[in-house]
Amino acid sequence: MTDLPFLPGPATEPPRPVEIYLPPTGYRLDQLVASFLADPRFGANTAEAYRRDLRTFLQWCDRNELDPLTLGLPEINVFSTWLKQTPSERTGRVRSDRTIARAVNAISSFYTYLNRAGAMHYQPAAGAGRPKVERKQSRTRPLTEQQAASLCRLAPDEAPRTWPPLCAQLTMHLLVDLGARVSELCNADLGHLGYRVDGTGTEWRVIELRMKGGKLRYRPVPLQLTPLLDAWLAARIAAPDQQALLVDRDGDRVTRARVDTLVKTLAAAANVPQPHEISPHSARHAFNTIARLRGASLEGRQHALGHASPETTQLYDHAGESLAADPAHLVASATFTGPTER
């Protein structure tokens, strides 16, 4: 016992020294996994991704008769190679480098937590190999301003039958006009609508969005959307205890999968090329593109999108700018003479 300052005990007992804290031991693996995933810093999407990745890793350990609490770096690297060579049971497809890197990062974060909690005294995944992921390109299929406007315009008539027309239209406008993440909209409740006064004394209609990492952000409801929002609130039908802002025809909270289907359906109706590759995140990219072309600053777009770094916002810019400025257009204009018939 280390000689530390005394802390006062109960009045009937003499002062006792503070003992050095010894990290707890003897936790079961399932308890350690649950406590790791309960980290309040994880957003819902991050926690779910980590849960899937850890489940895959622990199942692999079980099949290979490995104890996750005693293995080392070689086993982590073998698992990474296995991920690359084995199709995903969930999708049936070979995993991308980005997916593999995310899984190894999840495992490394888990072992860092175990080390800090005292369940392990080393970090086996600290030097684990993982694929290099190109961060200067976004893989999201973007939408042009005209395409994004078409999806919003077609929403009332072309949405799947599970969608109330006003809800479909409002959802598309919130995706495009606010650049909101689909998870933010699916988790939005009626109580997240309100009013706030800005620094100029102007009162704005706002929606509170819980962004990635649990951050809260008040976003203005553009004046153009106010009549649509009010019309939806008047027409919305749901059980009294259902507080979701966006509900389907059955009055249930709209899900991410339904929003994804909505976007793809509208993309097909708008004759967008390869509509199956258009996603709700495409609308978020459209917000950034339209805002940039109409003069919004990088700082303003970063704040609106909730990015921690301006570099993330610039990733959204890079794809369109690099394609338009590619020197291939200049070379082709100098060399191309048209098809030759034989």
Side-chain angles (χ1 to χ4, degrees):
M1 185 177 298
T2 303
D3 185 17
L4 295 175
F6 284 85
L7 292 179
T12 57
E13 298 180 4
R16 295 176 298 177
V18 178
E19 296 184 359
I20 292 179
Y21 171 71
L22 296 177
T25 58
Y27 286 124
R28 298 194 313 268
L29 182 61
D30 60 334
Q31 293 175 320
L32 293 168
V33 172
S35 61
F36 168 69
L37 294 174
D39 191 325
R41 293 172 297 179
F42 294 160
N45 295 336
T46 299
E48 180 57 32
Y50 279 9
R51 181 178 289 106
R52 290 197 303 266
D53 293 334
L54 284 175
R55 183 187 303 118
T56 300
F57 173 64
L58 296 176
Q59 289 173 345
W60 178 84
C61 288
D62 186 61
R63 285 194 295 267
N64 290 278
E65 299 182 351
L66 295 171
D67 181 358
L69 299 182
T70 61
L71 50 69
L73 177 60
E75 290 85 355
I76 302 296
N77 282 340
V78 171
F79 173 71
S80 180
T81 301
W82 178 85
L83 287 176
K84 188 176 184 65
Q85 298 174 345
T86 309
S88 167
E89 293 181 2
R90 188 169 64 93
T91 65
R93 298 192 298 268
V94 175
R95 297 172 176 86
S96 67
D97 287 348
R98 187 181 299 270
T99 299
I100 296 171
R102 187 203 66 206
V104 177
N105 287 339
I107 295 165
S108 181
S109 296
F110 177 57
Y111 279 118
T112 297
Y113 169 75
L114 296 186
N115 185 262
R116 291 173 178 170
M120 294 183 70
H121 298 292
Y122 65 102
Q123 217 288 34
R130 63 204 77 187
K132 290 185 178 180
V133 178
E134 176 59 58
R135 289 291 296 164
K136 293 185 178 179
Q137 295 281 359
S138 172
R139 302 174 63 197
T140 299
R141 272 286 308 279
L143 290 167
T144 66
E145 179 177 339
Q146 292 74 20
Q147 290 169 340
S150 294
L151 266 63
C152 293
R153 185 182 69 254
L154 293 170
D157 299 320
E158 301 293 341
R161 295 181 60 184
T162 53
W163 283 82
L166 287 174
C167 184
Q169 188 178 17
L170 178 63
T171 299
M172 284 309 309
H173 273 290
L174 292 175
L175 286 171
V176 174
D177 297 348
L178 269 64
R181 295 182 178 89
V182 61
S183 58
E184 296 165 2
L185 295 185
C186 291
N187 294 330
D189 290 337
L190 295 173
H192 295 157
L193 296 172
Y195 294 86
R196 287 179 73 89
V197 178
D198 66 11
T200 67
T202 304
E203 186 176 63
W204 294 91
R205 190 84 168 267
V206 297
I207 179 171
E208 177 186 308
L209 299 179
R210 183 170 292 277
M211 296 188 165
K212 197 172 182 179
K215 295 180 294 185
L216 293 179
R217 184 70 51 81
Y218 289 97
R219 300 295 308 285
V221 178
L223 296 177
Q224 297 88 334
L225 293 192
T226 299
L228 174 59
L229 175 61
D230 289 336
W232 164 242
L233 293 177
R236 176 185 175 277
I237 298 176
D241 59 346
Q242 177 54 270
Q243 294 303 306
L245 171 62
L246 304 175
V247 297
D248 59 21
R249 285 189 182 274
D250 295 328
D252 297 323
R253 183 183 294 272
V254 164
T255 64
R256 294 167 57 95
R258 287 226 167 141
V259 177
D260 185 69
T261 300
L262 170 68
V263 171
K264 286 177 168 55
T265 301
L266 296 178
N271 296 318
V272 176
Q274 296 177 300
H276 62 282
E277 294 187 358
I278 302 300
S279 69
H281 208 65
S282 300
R284 184 167 163 85
H285 277 246
F287 165 85
N288 179 72
T289 299
I290 297 169
R292 177 174 57 83
L293 293 177
R294 291 178 176 264
S297 67
L298 173 60
E299 181 182 9
R301 289 181 281 122
Q302 176 193 346
H303 179 79
L305 292 168
H307 289 156
S309 167
E311 294 179 355
T312 305
T313 309
Q314 288 175 316
L315 288 178
Y316 285 31
D317 299 341
H318 188 76
E321 288 181 347
S322 61
L323 291 175
D326 194 301
H329 304 297
L330 297 176
V331 176
S333 66
T335 64
F336 188 70
T337 58
T340 301
E341 294 184 2
R342 294 190 179 187

